[in-house]
């Protein structure tokens, strides 16, 4: 099922972890409209970057979220967030630097450059955090830093 021109429900709910553990990652009905809004935000990001982007993690059922070590009440479990990479554009850091000045324009609620356990990706959420200073941040194994910081 297509949510928008370039993003499908299958892509936004795919989970290697869920498959490996035999967990159901079907979103409940109330999450679907949020996934459409998420896909629309991803379309704006894709159009801005001018290249396809790949969703590495979108919706996560609470069980899948626990299995991947996601934080409780993660925006992923609400259908509000996606982790993305865009190899045709550059590293997650390059994507983050391109998108950070545009969060307002593109209605990106939260933009997090993440570098954890040897992997790097960009987390984008349709929901803005309570504190404006948390809107654009970098999270690594060393902790959280404001803005987009170069990853080691
Ligand atoms: Zn994420």
């Amino acid at each position: 099922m297509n949510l928008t021109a370039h993003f499908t429900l299958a892509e936004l709910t795919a989970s290697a972890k869920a498959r490996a553990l035999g967990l159901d990652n079907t979103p409940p009905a109330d999450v679907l409209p949020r996934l459409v809004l998420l896909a629309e935000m991803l379309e704006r990001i894709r159009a801005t970057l001018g290249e396809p982007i790949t969703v590495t993690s979108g919706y996560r059922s609470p069980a899948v979220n626990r299995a991947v070590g996601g934080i409780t009440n993660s925006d992923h479990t609400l259908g509000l967030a996606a982790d993305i990479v865009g190899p045709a554009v550059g590293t997650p850091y390059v994507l983050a630097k391109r998108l950070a000045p545009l969060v307002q324009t593109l209605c990106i609620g939260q933009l997090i450059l993440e570098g954890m356990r040897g992997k790097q990706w960009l987390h984008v959420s349709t929901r803005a955090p309570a504190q404006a200073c948390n809107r654009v941040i970098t999270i690594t194994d060393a902790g959280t830093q404001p803005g987009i910081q170069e990853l080691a």
Side-chain angles (χ1 to χ4, degrees):
M1 179 177 130
N2 270 43
L3 298 174
T4 58
H6 300 100
F7 297 95
T8 64
L9 180 62
E11 186 175 9
L12 288 190
T13 57
S15 168
K17 197 71 165 185
R19 260 198 314 279
L21 299 177
L23 296 171
D24 184 13
N25 200 41
T26 308
D30 61 324
V31 166
L32 280 175
R34 296 187 204 135
L35 289 175
V36 173
L37 293 176
L38 178 62
E40 287 172 352
M41 181 179 75
L42 294 173
E43 288 286 354
R44 294 192 292 275
I45 290 171
R46 185 187 196 277
T48 298
L49 296 173
E51 298 282 356
I53 52 176
T54 301
V55 176
T56 57
S57 181
Y59 171 74
R60 296 177 200 149
S61 70
V64 171
N65 189 57
R66 270 192 300 278
V68 300
I71 57 162
T72 312
N73 299 325
S74 158
D75 281 353
H76 287 278
T77 63
L78 301 169
L80 301 172
D83 295 338
I84 59 171
V85 294
V89 182
T91 61
Y93 172 76
V94 169
L95 263 73
K97 288 298 266 188
R98 291 262 309 265
L99 295 172
L102 301 171
V103 288
Q104 202 87 304
T105 316
L106 300 177
C107 283
I108 300 172
Q110 191 178 34
L111 179 73
I112 308 177
L113 175 61
E114 299 199 59
M116 312 274 276
R117 299 178 293 270
K119 286 188 182 168
Q120 300 180 0
W121 66 93
L122 202 57
H123 168 105
V124 289
S125 173
T126 55
R127 179 165 72 170
Q131 305 238 37
C133 59
N134 288 327
R135 193 156 185 193
V136 178
I137 56 177
T138 300
I139 300 179
T140 66
D141 294 312
T144 302
Q145 292 176 277
I148 299 304
Q149 310 297 332
E150 202 141 11
L151 298 174

